Amino acid sequence: VQLVESGGGLVQAGGSLRLSCSASGGIFSDYNIGWFSRTPGKELEFVAVISEKSGSTTFYAHSVKGRFIISRDNAKNSVYLQMDSLEPEDTAVYYCATLEGDSWNEEHQYGNWGPGTQVTVSS
């Protein structure tokens, strides 16, 4: 499966963005999908993950809980990350990937990474 992120951009603090992760080449509904972020000089950080099929299970990083919502639409082969109340600290490149292992918050358990989309939050 190939993943491509979109929806990033420049937004003021307190604003919102919706990121999309679009898939091709696989049975999308079979995959747990996660979002990670990377800021310059730092490692990838877990943001959120959604379970396969109905997406009934989700987990969030503490820093985004209550502000971000992950969802999926299997008919559109897409996973979304609704980002509200954005803060300058959310500035990063955001990536989606498929969970290949058991630990949903560990970057090395993921594969099929997309190229990323830049999110910049101005103060």
Side-chain angles (χ1 to χ4, degrees):
V1 64
Q2 292 81 44
L3 304 179
V4 177
E5 304 89 346
S6 61
L10 173 63
V11 64
Q12 287 188 328
S16 298
L17 284 173
R18 189 175 85 148
L19 305 185
S20 297
C21 172
S22 299
S24 61
I27 303 175
F28 180 71
S29 60
D30 286 350
Y31 291 97
N32 301 294
I33 303 291
W35 285 96
F36 284 75
S37 66
R38 188 199 299 270
T39 54
K42 293 187 178 181
E43 296 183 354
L44 280 167
E45 293 184 351
F46 170 77
V47 176
V49 64
I50 188 166
S51 60
E52 61 181 342
K53 303 293 192 292
S54 66
S56 58
T57 301
T58 57
F59 294 104
Y60 297 90
H62 177 74
S63 60
V64 307
K65 206 168 187 178
R67 299 189 298 122
F68 292 7
I69 297 176
I70 189 170
S71 62
R72 68 188 302 154
D73 185 341
N74 293 327
K76 296 182 178 180
N77 285 347
S78 294
V79 165
Y80 307 101
L81 187 67
Q82 178 67 41
M83 310 166 71
D84 297 324
S85 302
L86 282 161
E87 303 168 352
E89 293 74 21
D90 296 319
T91 295
V93 178
Y94 285 76
Y95 302 88
C96 61
T98 57
L99 178 60
E100 306 293 327
D102 297 327
S103 297
W104 45 265
N105 61 345
E106 295 182 7
E107 163 244 325
H108 68 274
Q109 298 285 333
Y110 286 78
N112 300 308
W113 294 87
T117 186
Q118 175 71 48
V119 170
T120 303
V121 184
S122 63
S123 57

